[in-house]
Amino acid sequence: MSGGTILCSVVNDGFTPGFVVMERSLRETNPEWNFPIRVIHSSINPLSEQSIAVIEDHCDNVEFVLADDRMLAPIHRYAREVIKTPERLFPAFSILEAFQWSDAKQVIALDSDMIILGSLEPLRHAVRPFNACRARMTIGNEPANFFNTGVMVLNRSLLQGFHLWDIPTMLGERKPKRGTGKADQAILNILFRNEFVGYLPQRFNYTKRSLQFDLEKSGVRLPATTEEIRDFMAARDTRVFHFVGEKPWVPKIKYAELEHEAAEQIWHDAVYRYGKPSLFVLLEQLRRQWQKRFVAAVRQVRAEKPGMVDEARLNVGMGM
């Protein structure tokens, strides 16, 4: 590594469209940021040749890092036995790979389900060894007593002393804080206590759920249009918009997710602006895969528990 700032994101085939939009929007809104961005993918579920080709077709200064899941095996064991993490979430732990890049001055980790709306330069001046935005409670949107791992800034003093093999000892049998989930966010919130964290302003990790709550509280007439949402976030100086929950490029399975349709149009406008044919081919392939999987799952539930699934609502959510 060069010893400077390194950007990174964990990506799998299903998140490749999100990563492309995140990286393209970052380069557009931060044209002076020519830092390399490392795509971390798990050896459990590595990126396909097609996804790698799509990323290379769209993105600048990208490096691919295959996480060594043999090194992560003790963490997987803890996750499986102590917090009951399903194995489908194990690739999320690959972000821990970035914590041991000891010859980097700084690592800025960004989730691949985001769109960058403004300058991220203040992140380069975060002073604590570990920096992130505070999570928000599901009820009331109040600040939580833990952080969201969607945006993290790791500085040299942390990177020089962090070793993956120390994590299982540090974790022991400790349980994660309620609300932190069952993947990397749960473990990192055990490792880094509140007093250690440099909390970043919410504008650097503003979620679509917080947006919905703030719109309702502000008196904006709902449902808001996409342009009203753009103006609302611009007035709040939002730099990073985070599509937590179901993703804009995924067919909707939860009816409640449809209330985010206008906000997600921001992502769709971006993908049509940035996308080349290779990305749209991948999106169509993913859509067909998800549709087959979801419909098969719903039919199984309907067969086992008749009347539990409203197929009309499912079809609306999936655009069928």
Side-chain angles (χ1 to χ4, degrees), residues 191-252:
L191 296 178
F192 301 122
R193 298 187 301 274
N194 266 318
E195 59 269 23
F196 185 80
V197 179
Y199 277 109
L200 304 168
Q202 188 187 14
R203 63 178 174 270
F204 290 104
N205 189 355
Y206 190 52
T207 70
K208 69 179 187 184
R209 292 173 183 162
S210 287
L211 168 68
Q212 191 67 21
F213 184 90
D214 290 339
L215 285 170
E216 293 172 1
K217 195 169 68 170
S218 72
V220 173
R221 186 177 179 180
L222 301 177
T225 66
T226 300
E227 286 310 307
E228 288 171 333
I229 289 171
R230 288 184 191 276
D231 291 344
F232 184 83
M233 290 200 293
R236 299 172 71 92
D237 194 23
T238 302
R239 310 291 179 88
V240 179
F241 188 35
H242 191 177
F243 296 99
V244 296
E246 292 187 5
K247 310 310 173 191
W249 61 93
V250 177
K252 295 294 173 279

Short mmCIF file of all heavy atoms in Angstrom, two decimals, residues 191-252:
data_model
loop_
_atom_site.label_atom_id
_atom_site.label_comp_id
_atom_site.label_asym_id
_atom_site.label_seq_id
_atom_site.Cartn_x
_atom_site.Cartn_y
_atom_site.Cartn_z
N LEU A 191 -16.26 -4.74 20.59
CA LEU A 191 -14.83 -4.43 20.64
C LEU A 191 -14.57 -2.96 20.97
O LEU A 191 -13.61 -2.65 21.68
CB LEU A 191 -14.18 -4.77 19.29
CG LEU A 191 -14.19 -6.25 18.87
CD1 LEU A 191 -13.54 -6.39 17.50
CD2 LEU A 191 -13.47 -7.11 19.90
N PHE A 192 -15.41 -2.06 20.46
CA PHE A 192 -15.17 -0.63 20.64
C PHE A 192 -16.28 -0.02 21.48
O PHE A 192 -17.39 0.19 21.01
CB PHE A 192 -15.08 0.07 19.28
CG PHE A 192 -13.98 -0.46 18.40
CD1 PHE A 192 -14.26 -0.99 17.15
CD2 PHE A 192 -12.66 -0.46 18.84
CE1 PHE A 192 -13.26 -1.48 16.35
CE2 PHE A 192 -11.64 -0.96 18.04
CZ PHE A 192 -11.94 -1.48 16.79
N ARG A 193 -15.96 0.26 22.72
CA ARG A 193 -16.95 0.85 23.64
C ARG A 193 -17.20 2.31 23.28
O ARG A 193 -16.39 2.95 22.61
CB ARG A 193 -16.45 0.74 25.07
CG ARG A 193 -16.25 -0.70 25.56
CD ARG A 193 -15.92 -0.73 27.04
NE ARG A 193 -14.70 0.02 27.33
CZ ARG A 193 -13.49 -0.50 27.26
NH1 ARG A 193 -13.32 -1.76 26.90
NH2 ARG A 193 -12.43 0.24 27.55
N ASN A 194 -18.32 2.83 23.75
CA ASN A 194 -18.74 4.19 23.41
C ASN A 194 -17.65 5.22 23.66
O ASN A 194 -17.43 6.13 22.85
CB ASN A 194 -20.00 4.57 24.20
CG ASN A 194 -21.26 4.29 23.42
OD1 ASN A 194 -21.33 4.56 22.23
ND2 ASN A 194 -22.26 3.75 24.08
N GLU A 195 -16.95 5.10 24.78
CA GLU A 195 -15.96 6.11 25.12
C GLU A 195 -14.76 6.08 24.18
O GLU A 195 -13.96 7.03 24.14
CB GLU A 195 -15.50 5.94 26.57
CG GLU A 195 -14.87 4.60 26.90
CD GLU A 195 -15.88 3.58 27.40
OE1 GLU A 195 -17.08 3.73 27.10
OE2 GLU A 195 -15.45 2.64 28.09
N PHE A 196 -14.61 5.01 23.41
CA PHE A 196 -13.49 4.88 22.48
C PHE A 196 -13.84 5.45 21.10
O PHE A 196 -12.96 5.80 20.33
CB PHE A 196 -13.13 3.39 22.34
CG PHE A 196 -11.91 3.12 21.50
CD1 PHE A 196 -10.64 3.28 22.01
CD2 PHE A 196 -12.05 2.73 20.17
CE1 PHE A 196 -9.52 3.04 21.22
CE2 PHE A 196 -10.94 2.48 19.38
CZ PHE A 196 -9.67 2.63 19.91
N VAL A 197 -15.14 5.57 20.80
CA VAL A 197 -15.61 5.90 19.45
C VAL A 197 -15.64 7.41 19.24
O VAL A 197 -16.14 8.16 20.08
CB VAL A 197 -17.01 5.32 19.21
CG1 VAL A 197 -17.51 5.67 17.80
CG2 VAL A 197 -17.00 3.81 19.39
N GLY A 198 -15.13 7.83 18.09
CA GLY A 198 -15.33 9.21 17.67
C GLY A 198 -16.60 9.27 16.85
O GLY A 198 -16.65 8.74 15.72
N TYR A 199 -17.63 9.86 17.40
CA TYR A 199 -18.93 9.85 16.71
C TYR A 199 -18.99 10.96 15.66
O TYR A 199 -18.75 12.13 15.96
CB TYR A 199 -20.08 9.97 17.72
CG TYR A 199 -20.44 8.63 18.32
CD1 TYR A 199 -20.15 8.34 19.64
CD2 TYR A 199 -21.04 7.64 17.54
CE1 TYR A 199 -20.46 7.09 20.18
CE2 TYR A 199 -21.36 6.41 18.06
CZ TYR A 199 -21.07 6.13 19.39
OH TYR A 199 -21.38 4.90 19.90
N LEU A 200 -19.32 10.55 14.44
CA LEU A 200 -19.42 11.45 13.30
C LEU A 200 -20.84 12.02 13.21
O LEU A 200 -21.79 11.38 13.66
CB LEU A 200 -19.10 10.70 12.00
CG LEU A 200 -17.74 10.01 11.94
CD1 LEU A 200 -17.69 9.06 10.74
CD2 LEU A 200 -16.62 11.04 11.85
N PRO A 201 -21.02 13.18 12.60
CA PRO A 201 -22.36 13.74 12.41
C PRO A 201 -23.24 12.80 11.58
O PRO A 201 -22.75 12.11 10.67
CB PRO A 201 -22.12 15.05 11.68
CG PRO A 201 -20.70 15.42 12.00
CD PRO A 201 -19.97 14.11 12.11
N GLN A 202 -24.53 12.82 11.87
CA GLN A 202 -25.47 11.92 11.20
C GLN A 202 -25.48 12.12 9.68
O GLN A 202 -25.80 11.19 8.93
CB GLN A 202 -26.88 12.12 11.76
CG GLN A 202 -27.89 11.08 11.25
CD GLN A 202 -29.31 11.39 11.69
OE1 GLN A 202 -29.61 12.50 12.15
NE2 GLN A 202 -30.19 10.41 11.57
N ARG A 203 -25.12 13.29 9.20
CA ARG A 203 -25.20 13.53 7.76
C ARG A 203 -24.26 12.63 6.97
O ARG A 203 -24.39 12.52 5.75
CB ARG A 203 -24.89 15.00 7.45
CG ARG A 203 -23.50 15.48 7.81
CD ARG A 203 -23.32 16.94 7.41
NE ARG A 203 -22.05 17.49 7.86
CZ ARG A 203 -21.87 18.10 9.02
NH1 ARG A 203 -22.89 18.21 9.85
NH2 ARG A 203 -20.69 18.59 9.37
N PHE A 204 -23.29 11.99 7.65
CA PHE A 204 -22.38 11.08 6.95
C PHE A 204 -22.89 9.64 6.92
O PHE A 204 -22.20 8.76 6.38
CB PHE A 204 -20.98 11.15 7.58
CG PHE A 204 -20.29 12.45 7.33
CD1 PHE A 204 -20.19 13.41 8.33
CD2 PHE A 204 -19.78 12.75 6.07
CE1 PHE A 204 -19.56 14.62 8.10
CE2 PHE A 204 -19.16 13.96 5.82
CZ PHE A 204 -19.06 14.91 6.84
N ASN A 205 -24.06 9.40 7.48
CA ASN A 205 -24.67 8.07 7.39
C ASN A 205 -26.15 8.22 7.72
O ASN A 205 -26.62 7.80 8.77
CB ASN A 205 -23.99 7.09 8.36
CG ASN A 205 -24.44 5.65 8.15
OD1 ASN A 205 -25.34 5.37 7.36
ND2 ASN A 205 -23.83 4.73 8.89
N TYR A 206 -26.87 8.86 6.80
CA TYR A 206 -28.28 9.17 6.99
C TYR A 206 -29.10 8.07 6.33
O TYR A 206 -29.00 7.85 5.12
CB TYR A 206 -28.59 10.53 6.37
CG TYR A 206 -29.95 11.09 6.71
CD1 TYR A 206 -30.38 11.19 8.02
CD2 TYR A 206 -30.79 11.56 5.69
CE1 TYR A 206 -31.62 11.73 8.33
CE2 TYR A 206 -32.02 12.11 5.99
CZ TYR A 206 -32.44 12.19 7.31
OH TYR A 206 -33.67 12.72 7.62
N THR A 207 -29.90 7.36 7.12
CA THR A 207 -30.60 6.19 6.60
C THR A 207 -31.98 6.55 6.08
O THR A 207 -32.58 7.55 6.47
CB THR A 207 -30.76 5.11 7.69
OG1 THR A 207 -31.70 5.57 8.67
CG2 THR A 207 -29.42 4.80 8.36
N LYS A 208 -32.49 5.68 5.21
CA LYS A 208 -33.82 5.94 4.65
C LYS A 208 -34.90 5.86 5.75
O LYS A 208 -35.94 6.51 5.63
CB LYS A 208 -34.13 4.96 3.52
CG LYS A 208 -34.35 3.52 3.92
CD LYS A 208 -34.68 2.65 2.71
CE LYS A 208 -35.06 1.23 3.11
NZ LYS A 208 -35.30 0.34 1.96
N ARG A 209 -34.66 5.10 6.81
CA ARG A 209 -35.62 5.03 7.91
C ARG A 209 -35.62 6.34 8.69
O ARG A 209 -36.68 6.84 9.08
CB ARG A 209 -35.29 3.85 8.82
CG ARG A 209 -35.54 2.50 8.14
CD ARG A 209 -35.04 1.35 8.99
NE ARG A 209 -35.22 0.07 8.30
CZ ARG A 209 -34.58 -1.04 8.62
NH1 ARG A 209 -33.71 -1.03 9.62
NH2 ARG A 209 -34.79 -2.15 7.95
N SER A 210 -34.43 6.90 8.94
CA SER A 210 -34.37 8.21 9.60
C SER A 210 -35.03 9.28 8.75
O SER A 210 -35.73 10.17 9.26
CB SER A 210 -32.91 8.60 9.89
OG SER A 210 -32.37 7.83 10.94
N LEU A 211 -34.82 9.21 7.44
CA LEU A 211 -35.45 10.16 6.53
C LEU A 211 -36.97 10.12 6.68
O LEU A 211 -37.62 11.17 6.81
CB LEU A 211 -35.07 9.85 5.08
CG LEU A 211 -35.88 10.57 4.01
CD1 LEU A 211 -35.59 12.07 4.03
CD2 LEU A 211 -35.61 9.99 2.62
N GLN A 212 -37.55 8.93 6.66
CA GLN A 212 -39.00 8.80 6.76
C GLN A 212 -39.51 9.40 8.07
O GLN A 212 -40.51 10.11 8.09
CB GLN A 212 -39.40 7.32 6.64
CG GLN A 212 -40.90 7.08 6.47
CD GLN A 212 -41.42 7.59 5.13
OE1 GLN A 212 -40.65 7.76 4.18
NE2 GLN A 212 -42.72 7.83 5.05
N PHE A 213 -38.81 9.12 9.15
CA PHE A 213 -39.22 9.65 10.45
C PHE A 213 -39.11 11.18 10.46
O PHE A 213 -40.01 11.88 10.92
CB PHE A 213 -38.34 9.06 11.55
CG PHE A 213 -38.75 9.48 12.94
CD1 PHE A 213 -39.67 8.75 13.66
CD2 PHE A 213 -38.21 10.62 13.50
CE1 PHE A 213 -40.06 9.14 14.93
CE2 PHE A 213 -38.59 11.03 14.78
CZ PHE A 213 -39.51 10.29 15.49
N ASP A 214 -38.01 11.71 9.93
CA ASP A 214 -37.79 13.15 9.95
C ASP A 214 -38.79 13.88 9.05
O ASP A 214 -39.21 15.01 9.35
CB ASP A 214 -36.37 13.48 9.54
CG ASP A 214 -35.35 13.07 10.59
OD1 ASP A 214 -35.74 12.91 11.77
OD2 ASP A 214 -34.16 12.92 10.25
N LEU A 215 -39.15 13.25 7.93
CA LEU A 215 -40.17 13.85 7.06
C LEU A 215 -41.50 13.98 7.79
O LEU A 215 -42.16 15.02 7.73
CB LEU A 215 -40.35 13.00 5.80
CG LEU A 215 -39.26 13.09 4.73
CD1 LEU A 215 -39.47 12.03 3.66
CD2 LEU A 215 -39.24 14.48 4.08
N GLU A 216 -41.88 12.92 8.48
CA GLU A 216 -43.15 12.94 9.22
C GLU A 216 -43.12 14.01 10.31
O GLU A 216 -44.10 14.73 10.52
CB GLU A 216 -43.41 11.56 9.83
CG GLU A 216 -43.68 10.47 8.80
CD GLU A 216 -43.74 9.08 9.40
OE1 GLU A 216 -43.59 8.97 10.64
OE2 GLU A 216 -43.91 8.11 8.63
N LYS A 217 -42.00 14.14 11.00
CA LYS A 217 -41.88 15.09 12.10
C LYS A 217 -41.80 16.53 11.60
O LYS A 217 -42.21 17.46 12.31
CB LYS A 217 -40.62 14.75 12.92
CG LYS A 217 -40.57 15.43 14.27
CD LYS A 217 -39.47 14.86 15.14
CE LYS A 217 -38.09 15.18 14.61
NZ LYS A 217 -37.01 14.82 15.58
N SER A 218 -41.32 16.72 10.37
CA SER A 218 -41.10 18.08 9.85
C SER A 218 -42.37 18.75 9.36
O SER A 218 -42.39 19.96 9.14
CB SER A 218 -40.10 18.03 8.71
OG SER A 218 -40.69 17.44 7.56
N GLY A 219 -43.42 17.97 9.16
CA GLY A 219 -44.65 18.54 8.64
C GLY A 219 -44.75 18.52 7.13
O GLY A 219 -45.72 19.04 6.57
N VAL A 220 -43.76 17.92 6.44
CA VAL A 220 -43.84 17.77 4.99
C VAL A 220 -45.04 16.89 4.67
O VAL A 220 -45.27 15.86 5.30
CB VAL A 220 -42.55 17.13 4.43
CG1 VAL A 220 -42.72 16.81 2.95
CG2 VAL A 220 -41.37 18.07 4.64
N ARG A 221 -45.82 17.31 3.70
CA ARG A 221 -46.99 16.53 3.31
C ARG A 221 -46.54 15.21 2.68
O ARG A 221 -45.75 15.20 1.73
CB ARG A 221 -47.85 17.32 2.33
CG ARG A 221 -49.17 16.62 1.98
CD ARG A 221 -50.01 17.48 1.07
NE ARG A 221 -51.25 16.79 0.71
CZ ARG A 221 -52.18 17.31 -0.07
NH1 ARG A 221 -52.02 18.53 -0.57
NH2 ARG A 221 -53.28 16.62 -0.35
N LEU A 222 -47.04 14.12 3.23
CA LEU A 222 -46.66 12.80 2.75
C LEU A 222 -47.75 12.21 1.87
O LEU A 222 -48.94 12.48 2.07
CB LEU A 222 -46.38 11.89 3.95
CG LEU A 222 -45.26 12.36 4.90
CD1 LEU A 222 -45.12 11.41 6.08
CD2 LEU A 222 -43.93 12.47 4.15
N PRO A 223 -47.37 11.37 0.91
CA PRO A 223 -45.99 10.98 0.60
C PRO A 223 -45.23 12.10 -0.12
O PRO A 223 -45.78 12.75 -1.01
CB PRO A 223 -46.16 9.75 -0.29
CG PRO A 223 -47.49 9.97 -0.97
CD PRO A 223 -48.35 10.67 0.04
N ALA A 224 -43.99 12.28 0.27
CA ALA A 224 -43.15 13.30 -0.36
C ALA A 224 -42.70 12.82 -1.73
O ALA A 224 -42.56 11.62 -1.98
CB ALA A 224 -41.93 13.57 0.52
N THR A 225 -42.48 13.77 -2.62
CA THR A 225 -41.95 13.43 -3.94
C THR A 225 -40.43 13.28 -3.86
O THR A 225 -39.80 13.69 -2.88
CB THR A 225 -42.28 14.53 -4.96
OG1 THR A 225 -41.56 15.73 -4.59
CG2 THR A 225 -43.78 14.82 -4.99
N THR A 226 -39.87 12.71 -4.89
CA THR A 226 -38.41 12.54 -4.92
C THR A 226 -37.71 13.90 -4.86
O THR A 226 -36.70 14.06 -4.15
CB THR A 226 -37.99 11.78 -6.19
OG1 THR A 226 -38.61 10.49 -6.19
CG2 THR A 226 -36.48 11.61 -6.25
N GLU A 227 -38.23 14.89 -5.57
CA GLU A 227 -37.61 16.21 -5.54
C GLU A 227 -37.71 16.84 -4.17
O GLU A 227 -36.77 17.50 -3.70
CB GLU A 227 -38.23 17.12 -6.61
CG GLU A 227 -37.79 16.79 -8.03
CD GLU A 227 -36.27 16.69 -8.15
OE1 GLU A 227 -35.56 17.63 -7.74
OE2 GLU A 227 -35.78 15.66 -8.66
N GLU A 228 -38.84 16.66 -3.49
CA GLU A 228 -38.97 17.18 -2.13
C GLU A 228 -37.97 16.51 -1.19
O GLU A 228 -37.40 17.16 -0.30
CB GLU A 228 -40.40 16.97 -1.62
CG GLU A 228 -41.42 17.89 -2.28
CD GLU A 228 -42.85 17.54 -1.92
OE1 GLU A 228 -43.11 16.34 -1.63
OE2 GLU A 228 -43.71 18.44 -1.94
N ILE A 229 -37.74 15.23 -1.40
CA ILE A 229 -36.77 14.50 -0.58
C ILE A 229 -35.36 14.99 -0.86
O ILE A 229 -34.56 15.19 0.06
CB ILE A 229 -36.90 12.99 -0.82
CG1 ILE A 229 -38.22 12.48 -0.21
CG2 ILE A 229 -35.71 12.23 -0.23
CD1 ILE A 229 -38.55 11.05 -0.57
N ARG A 230 -35.04 15.21 -2.13
CA ARG A 230 -33.72 15.76 -2.47
C ARG A 230 -33.50 17.10 -1.77
O ARG A 230 -32.44 17.35 -1.19
CB ARG A 230 -33.60 15.94 -3.98
CG ARG A 230 -33.47 14.66 -4.79
CD ARG A 230 -33.25 15.03 -6.26
NE ARG A 230 -33.36 13.91 -7.15
CZ ARG A 230 -32.38 13.06 -7.43
NH1 ARG A 230 -31.20 13.23 -6.87
NH2 ARG A 230 -32.57 12.06 -8.26
N ASP A 231 -34.51 17.97 -1.85
CA ASP A 231 -34.40 19.29 -1.23
C ASP A 231 -34.27 19.17 0.29
O ASP A 231 -33.50 19.91 0.92
CB ASP A 231 -35.61 20.15 -1.59
CG ASP A 231 -35.64 20.54 -3.07
OD1 ASP A 231 -34.60 20.42 -3.73
OD2 ASP A 231 -36.73 20.93 -3.55
N PHE A 232 -35.05 18.26 0.87
CA PHE A 232 -35.03 18.06 2.32
C PHE A 232 -33.64 17.63 2.78
O PHE A 232 -33.10 18.16 3.76
CB PHE A 232 -36.08 17.01 2.70
CG PHE A 232 -36.23 16.78 4.17
CD1 PHE A 232 -37.03 17.61 4.95
CD2 PHE A 232 -35.58 15.72 4.80
CE1 PHE A 232 -37.18 17.40 6.32
CE2 PHE A 232 -35.73 15.50 6.16
CZ PHE A 232 -36.53 16.35 6.92
N MET A 233 -33.04 16.67 2.07
CA MET A 233 -31.72 16.19 2.47
C MET A 233 -30.64 17.23 2.19
O MET A 233 -29.67 17.36 2.95
CB MET A 233 -31.40 14.86 1.77
CG MET A 233 -32.24 13.71 2.30
SD MET A 233 -31.55 12.07 1.94
CE MET A 233 -31.70 12.03 0.15
N ALA A 234 -30.80 18.00 1.11
CA ALA A 234 -29.82 19.06 0.82
C ALA A 234 -29.84 20.11 1.91
O ALA A 234 -28.78 20.62 2.32
CB ALA A 234 -30.13 19.69 -0.54
N ALA A 235 -31.03 20.45 2.41
CA ALA A 235 -31.15 21.45 3.48
C ALA A 235 -30.48 20.96 4.77
O ALA A 235 -30.03 21.76 5.58
CB ALA A 235 -32.61 21.77 3.73
N ARG A 236 -30.42 19.62 4.95
CA ARG A 236 -29.77 19.04 6.13
C ARG A 236 -28.30 18.74 5.88
O ARG A 236 -27.65 18.12 6.73
CB ARG A 236 -30.51 17.76 6.53
CG ARG A 236 -31.97 17.98 6.90
CD ARG A 236 -32.69 16.66 7.09
NE ARG A 236 -32.27 15.98 8.30
CZ ARG A 236 -32.85 16.11 9.49
NH1 ARG A 236 -33.89 16.93 9.62
NH2 ARG A 236 -32.41 15.45 10.53
N ASP A 237 -27.81 19.12 4.70
CA ASP A 237 -26.41 18.89 4.34
C ASP A 237 -26.05 17.41 4.40
O ASP A 237 -24.97 17.02 4.86
CB ASP A 237 -25.48 19.70 5.25
CG ASP A 237 -24.05 19.77 4.72
OD1 ASP A 237 -23.86 19.59 3.50
OD2 ASP A 237 -23.13 19.97 5.53
N THR A 238 -26.96 16.56 3.91
CA THR A 238 -26.72 15.12 3.90
C THR A 238 -25.61 14.78 2.91
O THR A 238 -25.70 15.14 1.73
CB THR A 238 -28.01 14.36 3.55
OG1 THR A 238 -29.03 14.71 4.48
CG2 THR A 238 -27.78 12.85 3.55
N ARG A 239 -24.60 14.07 3.37
CA ARG A 239 -23.48 13.69 2.50
C ARG A 239 -23.58 12.24 2.03
O ARG A 239 -23.12 11.91 0.94
CB ARG A 239 -22.15 13.89 3.24
CG ARG A 239 -21.98 15.26 3.90
CD ARG A 239 -21.83 16.38 2.91
NE ARG A 239 -21.69 17.67 3.58
CZ ARG A 239 -20.52 18.19 3.99
NH1 ARG A 239 -19.39 17.52 3.79
NH2 ARG A 239 -20.49 19.37 4.58
N VAL A 240 -24.14 11.37 2.90
CA VAL A 240 -24.25 9.94 2.57
C VAL A 240 -25.66 9.48 2.91
O VAL A 240 -26.12 9.65 4.03
CB VAL A 240 -23.24 9.10 3.38
CG1 VAL A 240 -23.39 7.62 3.03
CG2 VAL A 240 -21.81 9.56 3.12
N PHE A 241 -26.34 8.91 1.92
CA PHE A 241 -27.69 8.39 2.11
C PHE A 241 -27.60 6.87 2.06
O PHE A 241 -27.14 6.29 1.07
CB PHE A 241 -28.62 8.92 1.03
CG PHE A 241 -30.08 8.60 1.25
CD1 PHE A 241 -30.61 8.57 2.53
CD2 PHE A 241 -30.91 8.34 0.18
CE1 PHE A 241 -31.96 8.28 2.73
CE2 PHE A 241 -32.25 8.06 0.37
CZ PHE A 241 -32.78 8.03 1.65
N HIS A 242 -28.05 6.22 3.13
CA HIS A 242 -27.84 4.79 3.35
C HIS A 242 -29.16 4.04 3.19
O HIS A 242 -30.10 4.28 3.95
CB HIS A 242 -27.27 4.59 4.76
CG HIS A 242 -26.76 3.22 5.03
ND1 HIS A 242 -26.16 2.87 6.22
CD2 HIS A 242 -26.74 2.08 4.28
CE1 HIS A 242 -25.81 1.60 6.19
NE2 HIS A 242 -26.16 1.10 5.02
N PHE A 243 -29.21 3.11 2.24
CA PHE A 243 -30.43 2.34 1.97
C PHE A 243 -30.46 1.08 2.84
O PHE A 243 -30.31 -0.04 2.34
CB PHE A 243 -30.52 2.00 0.48
CG PHE A 243 -30.65 3.20 -0.41
CD1 PHE A 243 -29.54 3.73 -1.06
CD2 PHE A 243 -31.87 3.84 -0.57
CE1 PHE A 243 -29.64 4.85 -1.87
CE2 PHE A 243 -31.99 4.96 -1.38
CZ PHE A 243 -30.87 5.47 -2.04
N VAL A 244 -30.64 1.28 4.14
CA VAL A 244 -30.75 0.14 5.04
C VAL A 244 -32.04 -0.62 4.72
O VAL A 244 -32.95 -0.09 4.10
CB VAL A 244 -30.74 0.59 6.52
CG1 VAL A 244 -29.42 1.23 6.88
CG2 VAL A 244 -31.91 1.55 6.80
N GLY A 245 -32.11 -1.88 5.17
CA GLY A 245 -33.29 -2.68 4.87
C GLY A 245 -33.23 -3.21 3.45
O GLY A 245 -32.14 -3.48 2.91
N GLU A 246 -34.36 -3.35 2.81
CA GLU A 246 -34.38 -3.85 1.44
C GLU A 246 -33.77 -2.81 0.50
O GLU A 246 -33.94 -1.61 0.69
CB GLU A 246 -35.81 -4.21 1.02
CG GLU A 246 -36.35 -5.41 1.79
CD GLU A 246 -37.70 -5.90 1.27
OE1 GLU A 246 -38.18 -5.37 0.25
OE2 GLU A 246 -38.26 -6.81 1.90
N LYS A 247 -33.06 -3.29 -0.50
CA LYS A 247 -32.26 -2.42 -1.35
C LYS A 247 -33.07 -1.92 -2.55
O LYS A 247 -33.98 -2.60 -3.03
CB LYS A 247 -31.01 -3.14 -1.82
CG LYS A 247 -30.22 -3.80 -0.69
CD LYS A 247 -29.95 -2.85 0.48
CE LYS A 247 -29.32 -3.55 1.66
NZ LYS A 247 -29.30 -2.69 2.87
N PRO A 248 -32.71 -0.76 -3.10
CA PRO A 248 -33.47 -0.21 -4.23
C PRO A 248 -33.50 -1.12 -5.44
O PRO A 248 -34.47 -1.09 -6.22
CB PRO A 248 -32.74 1.10 -4.54
CG PRO A 248 -32.03 1.46 -3.29
CD PRO A 248 -31.65 0.16 -2.64
N TRP A 249 -32.45 -1.90 -5.63
CA TRP A 249 -32.37 -2.75 -6.83
C TRP A 249 -32.97 -4.14 -6.61
O TRP A 249 -32.94 -4.96 -7.52
CB TRP A 249 -30.92 -2.87 -7.29
CG TRP A 249 -29.98 -3.49 -6.29
CD1 TRP A 249 -29.64 -4.81 -6.18
CD2 TRP A 249 -29.24 -2.81 -5.24
NE1 TRP A 249 -28.75 -5.00 -5.15
CE2 TRP A 249 -28.49 -3.79 -4.55
CE3 TRP A 249 -29.16 -1.48 -4.82
CZ2 TRP A 249 -27.67 -3.48 -3.47
CZ3 TRP A 249 -28.35 -1.18 -3.75
CH2 TRP A 249 -27.61 -2.16 -3.09
N VAL A 250 -33.51 -4.38 -5.42
CA VAL A 250 -34.08 -5.69 -5.11
C VAL A 250 -35.61 -5.61 -5.18
O VAL A 250 -36.20 -4.68 -4.63
CB VAL A 250 -33.65 -6.15 -3.70
CG1 VAL A 250 -34.30 -7.47 -3.33
CG2 VAL A 250 -32.13 -6.26 -3.62
N PRO A 251 -36.28 -6.58 -5.83
CA PRO A 251 -37.75 -6.60 -5.81
C PRO A 251 -38.27 -6.60 -4.38
O PRO A 251 -37.75 -7.31 -3.53
CB PRO A 251 -38.09 -7.91 -6.54
CG PRO A 251 -36.90 -8.18 -7.41
CD PRO A 251 -35.72 -7.68 -6.63
N LYS A 252 -39.26 -5.80 -4.12
CA LYS A 252 -39.76 -5.63 -2.76
C LYS A 252 -40.55 -6.86 -2.29
O LYS A 252 -41.43 -7.35 -2.99
CB LYS A 252 -40.64 -4.38 -2.65
CG LYS A 252 -39.86 -3.10 -2.92
CD LYS A 252 -38.83 -2.86 -1.82
CE LYS A 252 -37.91 -1.69 -2.11
NZ LYS A 252 -36.81 -2.01 -3.03
#
